[in-house]
Amino acid sequence: MTPQRRRYFDQTGVGEEIAGVARAPVDRIQLARFCAAVNDWAPNSLDEPAARAAGLPSVVAPNSLALGLLAPLVTDWAPGMPVLKLWGRFFRMVLPGDSLVCRGRVFDREGKDGRYVVDLELWSENQRGEVVVRGGALVKLFYSADDETRARVGQSPVVVNVARHNIVEVATAAVPPAKAKKKR
Amino acid sequence: MLERTAVGRTTPPKLNEIERGAIRRFAEAVGDTNPLWLDTAYAKSLGFAAPLAPPAFVCTLVAGGELRTALGVPLKQLALSEWAVEYERPLLAGEKVWVTSRVADVTSRVSQAGSVELAVIEDEGRDEAGKLVYRLKRTWVRISREGA
């Protein structure tokens, strides 16, 4: 398996954009697959006559699909790092044929007592530029490659306190960082 | 009106196994090709004992009952308005979690479009040792397409 690049806290900045990802147009097969995967047999997502009888233009995607399409943006951006929170609010229905583009940016970041968390803003838009879902995620990162190495060998984390809105309060290391190798 | 007396209703816990096949089907349904969900060797290289479930996978897990039916309106009148999961730790393939569901709130608020009725249903997943793994909060909004 090709190793994915790590994402480190010290290389992220508030306002940094996450590269947008265009998802393939949603089709009825995908609706069926998703409904089966989440075991939610919603007639409005699977049964065309039922959906029309309910006043909808056609079957519609379960709202959770829009979130399911958005979430990989986070886990691809920070491979293998724990997602502490993921949320979304739904604004538009997704119909078959709609193409969603998932986008995000670093809204804020905080480092406290050796724990580093980035606050991501996430949203997706349809082909008309309308926002379909807006949400966010909190992701825990290592401060740096050194911090990750220290964690792996059971050493205390690198401590750099970074207040939200990117104001550096205190910068202290739990242990002298002298042993850290110089970066190329 | 949504049934306010439903607030506090709780389901019995239900044991859910985090099946690898279910993770694969979920990832495939959203086109998520991250190897962390399927590849044990890759997961181990990142320090995990087994592949993980993707963060949104918890929407496949079920509690010991469906509390939306306690809100007193047909299910088709309820649309998912907000969804939020908080994790204490990642969910691993192969483990088992007890899921319970609770009606946390039933409320109405006034918006430009008129009065909006909302119900908040919270799920909680605990591992076999009883430790909290995640909380999932769903906010349902009542829609009346029948022109009521």
Side-chain angles (χ1 to χ4, degrees):
Chain A
M1 192 49 61
T2 42
Q4 296 176 26
R5 264 196 58 226
R6 283 295 222 191
R7 177 79 52 182
Y8 295 111
F9 186 85
D10 69 343
Q11 293 158 4
T12 62
V14 172
E16 174 186 330
E17 287 204 17
I18 298 174
V21 177
R23 304 286 178 215
V26 170
D27 61 21
R28 287 172 175 77
I29 304 289
Q30 184 172 32
L31 297 189
R33 287 180 90 164
F34 187 79
C35 287
V38 301
N39 199 31
D40 179 6
W41 307 94
N44 285 352
S45 299
L46 298 165
D47 183 338
E48 199 75 40
R52 288 179 194 274
L56 296 165
S58 72
V59 287
V60 297
N63 280 347
S64 45
L65 173 62
L67 199 97
L69 292 170
L70 188 56
L73 200 66
V74 178
T75 46
D76 287 343
W77 182 78
M81 297 313 296
V83 175
L84 307 175
K85 183 168 180 177
L86 173 71
W87 62 277
R89 191 166 176 195
F90 306 101
F91 293 93
R92 297 260 167 196
M93 289 189 295
V94 175
L95 303 176
D98 281 355
S99 304
L100 302 185
V101 179
C102 300
R103 300 183 189 280
R105 71 167 79 97
V106 178
F107 176 72
D108 213 336
R109 64 205 274 277
E110 183 173 41
K112 208 173 178 184
D113 306 326
R115 182 181 157 95
Y116 302 94
V117 176
V118 287
D119 185 345
L120 304 178
E121 184 182 7
L122 308 167
W123 68 98
S124 67
E125 296 164 11
N126 63 20
Q127 66 278 15
R128 291 177 295 278
E130 298 161 335
V131 172
V132 169
V133 48
R134 188 182 288 285
L138 296 180
V139 185
K140 193 168 168 288
L141 298 180
F142 288 112
Y143 182 75
S144 59
D146 290 337
D147 187 36
E148 178 175 12
T149 306
R150 294 181 63 82
R152 290 199 176 219
V153 297
Q155 292 178 328
S156 59
V158 170
V159 177
V160 180
N161 288 337
V162 180
R164 289 181 68 91
H165 300 297
N166 212 8
I167 301 159
V168 179
E169 280 184 330
V170 200
T172 49
V175 288
K179 279 176 200 150
K181 287 207 186 79
K182 269 272 180 292
K183 295 244 171 58
R184 282 151 294 167
Chain B
M1 286 301 289
L2 295 177
E3 193 52 68
R4 284 183 206 275
T5 57
V7 176
R9 287 253 320 246
T10 304
T11 68
K14 185 179 166 85
L15 193 60
N16 287 245
E17 187 172 347
I18 312 304
E19 294 170 13
R20 285 167 191 253
I23 291 176
R24 180 174 50 76
R25 284 189 294 277
F26 180 82
E28 284 174 358
V30 295
D32 185 350
T33 57
N34 193 325
L36 187 54
W37 320 137
L38 300 170
D39 185 327
T40 304
Y42 177 75
K44 286 191 169 162
S45 78
L46 290 175
F48 300 105
L52 305 190
F57 180 78
V58 286
C59 63
T60 71
L61 305 181
V62 289
E66 174 52 73
L67 289 174
R68 275 180 290 164
T69 57
L71 298 171
V73 299
L75 281 191
K76 62 181 179 185
Q77 287 188 20
L78 295 169
L80 186 62
S81 158
E82 282 182 53
W83 188 100
V85 65
E86 283 187 71
Y87 282 98
E88 291 295 312
R89 63 163 176 84
L91 202 50
L92 295 167
E95 72 170 324
K96 290 177 181 161
V97 284
W98 289 100
V99 181
T100 52
S101 192
R102 184 176 67 92
V103 180
D105 200 11
V106 172
T107 182
S108 62
R109 67 167 183 236
V110 180
S111 75
Q112 297 111 315
S115 177
V116 182
E117 294 177 60
L118 301 164
V120 179
I121 298 180
E122 283 183 1
D123 288 5
E124 168 180 293
R126 290 184 178 271
D127 63 22
E128 289 185 286
K131 289 202 120 167
L132 183 68
V133 181
Y134 74 88
R135 281 186 210 282
L136 170 59
K137 187 169 108 172
R138 291 181 174 99
T139 304
W140 298 91
V141 60
R142 185 177 178 191
I143 44 163
S144 358
R145 281 207 193 76
E146 285 73 15

